[in-house]
Amino acid sequence: MLVPIDPDEIAKTRIELEFEAGDKVILNAGALVERKNIHLLVEALEYLPPHYKLMLMGDGDSAYLGRINGIIADKKLKNRVIMVGYTPYPQIPIAYQAADLFVLPSDFEGLPKVVTESLACGTPVLASGFKMEEDIKGIEYLEELSVEYIAKRINDMIENPITVDIHKVSSI
């Protein structure tokens, strides 16, 4: 279910997903396509501490996946990027619940379902490509799409966690 879980469950889930106790988990879910700028998110890991891990959940076109895998190899990030591919719907909440932050550095979006799913699980969101009409505590926006800026904002949000207004999300 797309709901928050308690800290003990989060710790248990992270162990099952093979994360280490001190890891900070950044999540991106959805189609891995060029306009979503996943390559920038992968490159941002270079500017973040080594215990920051990126979980990518979803499929993409083979050319773009090749580009992402090339960046991972070139920058020696294999132990920091977990690509889980297609995930059956009943298992999707597990990733959101285990994450410290959901990041979507997209060029353009409508209202992404992945954003509301993350918020419903109590996981804050850092995103671009859209703006919600109403402010919701738990979502912040990327004002630019440079690797260094994305890394800085990720670090800021993980080091200074914000809470999600679950009640407001449930009314969306």
Side-chain angles (χ1 to χ4, degrees), residues 18-162:
E18 299 182 5
F19 288 106
E20 295 178 21
D23 286 346
K24 298 297 182 182
V25 181
I26 304 159
L27 174 65
N28 177 278
L32 303 176
V33 295
E34 184 85 28
R35 74 174 172 83
K36 298 206 183 234
N37 296 311
I38 307 308
H39 62 285
L40 298 178
L41 191 50
V42 172
E43 289 178 29
L45 284 176
E46 264 195 315
Y47 297 90
L48 294 166
H51 64 283
Y52 282 45
K53 306 291 173 71
L54 173 61
M55 184 170 23
L56 299 175
M57 184 172 59
D59 289 327
D61 67 74
S62 58
Y64 190 61
L65 289 174
R67 179 177 175 194
I68 291 169
N69 284 321
I71 294 167
I72 292 167
D74 290 347
K75 299 192 180 289
K76 298 176 177 45
L77 298 170
K78 186 176 180 178
N79 65 337
R80 296 181 62 195
V81 179
I82 298 90
M83 297 181 79
V84 298
Y86 168 78
T87 304
Y89 191 76
Q91 295 174 347
I92 287 173
I94 295 167
Y96 292 113
Q97 293 162 339
D100 291 289
L101 180 65
F102 180 87
V103 182
L104 179 64
S106 185
D107 285 333
F108 61 90
E109 296 287 335
L111 173 58
K113 180 180 173 183
V114 292
V115 167
T116 57
E117 289 173 339
S118 182
L119 293 170
C121 290
T123 303
V125 172
L126 177 61
S128 63
F130 73 98
K131 287 269 186 172
M132 296 187 73
E133 290 181 21
E134 188 175 348
D135 284 337
I136 294 181
K137 188 175 180 185
I139 185 168
E140 293 194 11
Y141 298 98
L142 289 163
E143 301 302 324
E144 65 179 81
L145 292 177
S146 71
V147 172
E148 295 88 354
Y149 180 76
I150 292 168
K152 179 187 180 324
R153 292 301 314 274
I154 288 170
N155 193 62
D156 289 348
M157 287 186 73
I158 287 181
E159 294 302 317
N160 305 294
I162 59 174

